[in-house]
Amino acid sequence: MNQADIRILIVDDEPNVLKALTRLLKQYEPVTAISGEEALLLAEQHRFDLVISDYRMPGINGIDFLILFKRMQPDAVRIVLTGFADLEGAQHAINEAEVFRFINKPWSNLEIVNVVENGLAHKRMLLENRALADQVRAQQILLNEKEAIIKALEAEEPGITQVNWAQDGSIILDDEDLQ
Amino acid sequence: MESDKQSTERQATILLVDDESINLSVFGQFLAPYYQVLVATSGQRALQLAGGAPKPDLILLDVMMPDMDGYQVIGQLKADPKTGDIPVIFVTALTSDLEEERGLSLGAVDYLYKPCHLSILLARIKTQLELKNARDWLKDQNAYLETEVQRRHQENEAVHLQLLQSEKLAAIGQLAAGIAHEINNPIGFVNSNLNTLDSYLRDVFCVVDASNAALDEKPLSEETLQSLRELKQAKQLEYLRNDIPELIAESMEGLTRVRDIIQDLKDFAHADKNEWELGDLHKGLDSTLNIIANELKYHCTVHKQYGEIPQIYCLSSQLNQVFMNLLINAAQSIETKGDIHIRTGRADQNVWVEISDSGKGIAPENLPRLFEPFFTTKPVGKGTGLGLSVSQNIVRKHGGKIEVTSQLGQGSRFRVWLPIRPPELGAAE
Ligand SMILES: Nc1ncnc2c1ncn2[C@@H]1O[C@H](COP(=O)(O)OP(=O)(O)O)[C@@H](O)[C@H]1O
Ligand SMILES: [Mg+2]
């Protein structure tokens, strides 16, 4: 995920809000949708790293949209733009949508830019963590394989994996070993 | 008990009027142990005493007197509101029926003939005083009742006004979130745009400053020119040139919207402006719709079918409150998605406004209770049960009525009828 191909999706039923946010996030060249439904169609065709959605929209609301969107693109960072009063009683849905941050309307430009940067950094970190975890897991698998071979040898030839070294570096063979 | 009452009762005052002082002294001496006695030997003097203090409770009036006879005296007594209620007994030597009738028609309560038995005199006086007491008591009671009725009426009026106000506040509270959203959206993008414009201008001036510096450089080197071009490129001046007018136009539109919302709210909230005026119902409906847009637009489609209606004399802001209640009820009856129709029309000297919904309808057993104050089927916080009762009061004040039809599961229709000219303003201009 490098800076150049970061893709941001903004969803709001108010065209002027979309335009203002697009100006603000111009460097990312965000894609916009004026409803959750339209945004879901876009999400079928394109991958997004971060999505900002209004809560109150005709048709499906922002939280329901994000729940559906999350099933399609679980790795994208989800941000909700809203007035606080809107969210009363939406607790359950909010938990399900796993929203990264809520931004109040009217918003401050600085806050949006910060939240977007933090969100992207968060995602980058998650992906890095995941890559590291993958590495660890791959190494674990290698280790496990080695161990399995050793076990198998041991089963066939007990003690074979245990070697007695002499002080001068030669191998000491027991009498039993010779027989 | 009885004696207590006697002692606290004021001793009655009796005015004796006779031109012959012998009569006065006989009657006077006889009555003095029971009553406070005033005497007058002429009609003039009698009128003076009757109008003064203590006010007589009863007057014994001789008919035949020189100068001013009894009939003239009673005429003047009755004409004066101060003395008109004092009962008068005529005392006369005359026996003709005709004269008796004349006296009674002038307002005398009884007749006594001279000479008369003193015990009869006493009994008649007592009867008249008791009657007067009863009358006075009744009058007091009536006056008391009247003020009481008036007080209750004022109280009711005050409670009703309070109800009206609190219902409106509750409704506005319900709407506040929606209105906040409606205002926060434009404020959000206008504010954002201004901040963006700020950074745009910094970029523009950065290029301007660099250009000015270059102008001062003589000779102008190719490197300076090149770096100026690069700076212009980096600051995206061409993009800014196109974007700034758009940014400004959008922001102005946002501010216009905020201004309109505030204006609508102001129109709506003028509950204190209780003035009858010619009002345009369509305008009222539209501004009410704007205020509650947020309650409606996400799950209802509003269809307007306005007919040809004249302006009507009304309390506009109160009617707006009625429309708001009906519209909110309609919106709340629609659970997922549905339609609200607003129709208006005229029939004869009345206009009607109809708000119908495709909502869940009203159970037949609830229909008769809809307009009861505090009747609600909504959960606490959502319904106060006051909307329809307040609305009905307002519509009645206009001389109109609200009709309801509803089909459970299909929807409801509320029709408000209003006279073009409410009866209390009179039919003529
Ligand atoms: N359009 C409607 N559709 C269905 N029910 C309605 C409608 N309008 C009113 N009602 C019923 O009438 C009741 C009383 O309405 P109202 O006086 O406005 O109080 P509230 O809306 O606060 O409950 C409501 O609770 C509801 O049951
Ligand atoms: Mg209501």
Side-chain angles (χ1 to χ4, degrees), chain A residues 12-17 19-24 26 54 56-59 83 85-86 105-109, chain B residues 177-178 181 184-185 187-189 191-193 195-196 200 236 239 243 246-247 250 253 257 294 297-298 337:
Chain A
D12 198 304
D13 60 317
E14 164 78 61
N16 286 339
V17 170
K19 289 202 187 129
L21 291 178
T22 303
R23 272 189 195 104
L24 185 57
K26 189 173 69 205
D54 183 26
R56 268 210 190 204
M57 296 184 286
D86 286 345
K105 277 185 179 178
W107 64 90
S108 106
N109 285 3
Chain B
H181 182 268
N184 281 342
N185 243 354
I187 289 187
F189 67 75
N191 180 57
S192 175
N193 284 344
N195 278 307
T196 304
Y200 282 4
Q236 298 180 290
Y239 168 82
D243 195 41
E246 277 180 36
L247 179 156
E250 286 158 24
E253 186 202 316
R257 244 162 61 195
N294 244 282
K297 71 176 180 206
Y298 296 113
K337 266 196 189 305

Side-chain angles (χ1 to χ4, degrees), chain B residues 167 171 174 324-330 332 375-376 378 382-388 391:
Chain B
E167 199 272 341
Q174 246 179 38
M324 186 187 81
N325 283 326
L326 296 181
L327 286 166
I328 296 252
N329 280 348
Q332 288 177 339
F375 174 78
T376 181
K378 295 169 191 170
K382 267 222 136 165
T384 58
L386 288 175
L388 286 179
S391 298

Side-chain angles (χ1 to χ4, degrees), chain B residues 245-301:
Chain B
E246 277 180 36
L247 179 156
I248 288 177
E250 286 158 24
S251 303
M252 294 201 337
E253 186 202 316
L255 290 181
T256 306
R257 244 162 61 195
V258 173
R259 191 194 59 199
D260 289 349
I261 293 167
I262 301 290
Q263 187 56 48
D264 285 339
L265 264 180
K266 256 176 30 198
D267 290 348
F268 183 83
H270 270 173
D272 39 326
K273 199 176 145 221
N274 267 334
E275 272 167 36
W276 291 87
E277 57 190 3
L278 263 185
D280 179 345
L281 296 188
H282 291 159
K283 223 169 92 189
L285 280 165
D286 287 340
S287 79
T288 307
L289 271 174
N290 280 344
I291 293 173
I292 58 173
N294 244 282
E295 303 300 309
L296 305 182
K297 71 176 180 206
Y298 296 113
H299 71 301
C300 311
T301 314

Side-chain angles (χ1 to χ4, degrees), chain B residues 104-143:
Chain B
L104 290 175
S105 75
L106 284 170
V109 291
D110 205 352
Y111 255 90
L112 276 175
Y113 299 104
K114 287 187 285 193
C116 85
H117 221 280
L118 288 175
S119 60
I120 292 179
L121 172 70
L122 207 55
R124 297 272 180 96
I125 288 176
K126 203 167 164 237
T127 310
Q128 287 309 326
L129 284 176
E130 272 167 13
L131 269 175
K132 174 166 190 286
N133 274 343
R135 266 198 308 272
D136 287 352
W137 183 81
L138 259 182
K139 217 163 72 187
D140 281 359
Q141 279 298 304
N142 277 342

Side-chain angles (χ1 to χ4, degrees), chain B residues 63-64 68-75 78 90 94 96-111 113:
Chain B
V63 178
M64 298 299 288
M68 200 179 194
D69 69 9
Y71 301 123
Q72 280 173 297
V73 175
I74 195 172
K78 293 294 166 194
F90 271 133
L94 294 176
S96 109
D97 273 1
L98 238 178
E99 291 296 324
E100 202 168 303
E101 237 162 61
R102 181 168 170 211
L104 290 175
S105 75
L106 284 170
V109 291
D110 205 352
Y111 255 90
Y113 299 104

